[in-house]
Amino acid sequence: MSKRNNWENKQTARERLRAERERQAKKDRTRRQLIVGGAVVAVLAVGAGIVVAVSQLGKDGKSGLNASWEAASKKELVKPANTGGDNGTEILIGKKDAKHTLDLYQDMRCPICSVFEQSVGDTIDKDVKDGKYKVSYHVATFLDRNFGGSGSKNALSALGAALNVSPEAFSAYNKALYSKANHPNETKDDYAKDDVLLKVANEVPALKGNKDFEKNVQDGTFDKWALTVSDEFDKVKDVTGTPTLKMNGKKLTAEDGKNVPITPEQYTKAVDAALKS
């Protein structure tokens, strides 16, 4: 889990992730490789985070914003289509009449969010399609402050451009950005580059060759919106890192009661338990 404030002890993280690898070794080989790969990323992420997460100010100045983003913060808010709320910060994916709501808190530079999406994303997609629940996305940019740069903000702005096309395009683009092939190490600011974001978007049929989408990414149409969404995330005091999951307001964890459920089995078990409570 990527932390906003205090990062977990490296040794504890290694032990936990090593145990996870051992359990997953008994599973299907493909899934095992995914989880092991994710666990390695998690160890590296925690190790790196201990070094740089001591400052929440970022390298771009007191506010954590460089000149272009500082300028964006002063522009008129443009809300993507398919959003809700006064400032368009409500991002709901799924059937509107779904009885239950999964709140998903993420940062686009977060490596564990990437591992989670690769492992559990298809399960969530199926549940949403079946109407088991809808998903409310809450997207942070605190890793830009921790590591410097603007990749979290820029990717969030691009997600806004995808959501402006359709909820389905948003979901597919989110999945592509978190894929093993595309997602950079959190210390690399690759998503600050529009050409990188547009290259990934070519994997989504609704976005490939979509001139309106491309223009919105390049023009930063939804930059102010991205900052507004991030501000809303920061107001949630009981969420201290990403990914964090809540079902109907109750946090979802693996059986240890602390960590995010990182396998489809852990996730489904946690969801079913929450829905029964």
Side-chain angles (χ1 to χ4, degrees):
M1 178 179 285
S2 293
K3 294 287 185 178
R4 281 193 285 186
N5 299 308
N6 297 319
W7 289 63
E8 298 177 88
N9 179 272
K10 286 194 294 184
Q11 186 60 35
T12 300
R14 289 193 179 99
E15 291 174 357
R16 184 180 74 250
L17 293 165
R18 187 180 301 114
E20 181 63 38
R21 289 199 298 271
E22 291 174 356
R23 286 194 295 271
Q24 291 307 307
K26 300 177 183 179
K27 302 289 185 178
D28 172 77
R29 180 178 178 81
T30 302
R31 181 174 298 158
R32 182 187 68 212
Q33 290 175 337
L34 171 63
I35 301 304
V36 170
V40 172
V41 171
V43 172
L44 294 175
V46 172
I50 290 173
V51 176
V52 298
V54 294
S55 172
Q56 295 296 308
L57 300 180
K59 299 178 181 179
D60 294 323
K62 185 176 181 180
S63 68
L65 301 177
N66 61 25
S68 62
W69 283 94
E70 188 68 42
S73 71
K74 299 175 182 178
K75 291 183 177 180
E76 183 178 353
L77 175 66
V78 179
K79 299 180 288 186
N82 306 302
T83 58
D86 292 340
N87 293 318
T89 57
E90 294 180 6
I91 307 170
L92 285 174
I93 304 298
K95 298 178 181 178
K96 294 182 179 180
D97 60 352
K99 182 178 179 181
H100 305 287
T101 301
L102 172 71
D103 288 287
L104 176 53
Y105 298 81
Q106 63 183 38
D107 187 305
M108 298 314 297
R109 288 174 71 173
C110 169
I112 314 306
C113 297
S114 174
V115 173
F116 176 81
E117 173 60 39
Q118 292 168 42
S119 179
V120 184
D122 287 346
T123 301
I124 294 177
D125 291 345
K126 182 180 184 304
D127 288 349
V128 169
K129 184 177 181 181
D130 292 343
K132 191 173 184 178
Y133 50 78
K134 54 185 175 289
V135 181
S136 178
Y137 283 86
H138 310 267
V139 191
T141 64
F142 66 87
L143 286 176
D144 284 351
R145 299 194 296 270
N146 288 345
F147 293 101
S150 58
S152 293
K153 294 187 287 290
N154 207 38
L156 174 51
S157 179
L159 275 172
L163 185 57
N164 194 61
V165 175
S166 70
E168 293 77 17
F170 171 93
S171 297
Y173 192 37
N174 188 69
K175 186 179 293 293
L177 288 169
Y178 275 137
S179 72
K180 185 176 181 180
N182 295 325
H183 196 264
N185 183 286
E186 63 184 346
T187 60
K188 294 184 178 180
D189 202 25
D190 290 1
Y191 285 166
K193 305 170 185 176
D194 290 346
D195 58 342
V196 172
L197 295 174
L198 292 174
K199 181 179 180 180
V200 175
N202 284 331
E203 299 177 12
V204 180
L207 303 181
K208 184 177 182 179
N210 186 317
K211 299 303 180 183
D212 288 339
F213 167 79
E214 293 174 359
K215 186 176 188 302
N216 284 330
V217 171
Q218 293 169 337
D219 291 352
T221 302
F222 302 110
D223 285 357
K224 174 64 177 288
W225 173 82
L227 295 174
T228 306
V229 170
S230 176
D231 286 345
E232 286 299 310
F233 180 104
D234 290 341
K235 294 177 183 177
V236 184
K237 301 304 181 184
D238 67 335
V239 174
T240 58
T242 56
T244 292
L245 310 169
K246 294 180 183 180
M247 180 59 72
N248 297 331
K250 181 180 179 181
K251 284 187 179 180
L252 298 183
T253 63
E255 292 180 346
D256 62 6
K258 297 179 181 179
N259 299 294
V260 65
I262 200 69
T263 69
E265 293 84 2
Q266 291 175 345
Y267 174 78
T268 298
K269 187 174 182 179
V271 166
D272 290 346
L275 295 181
K276 290 178 182 178
S277 63

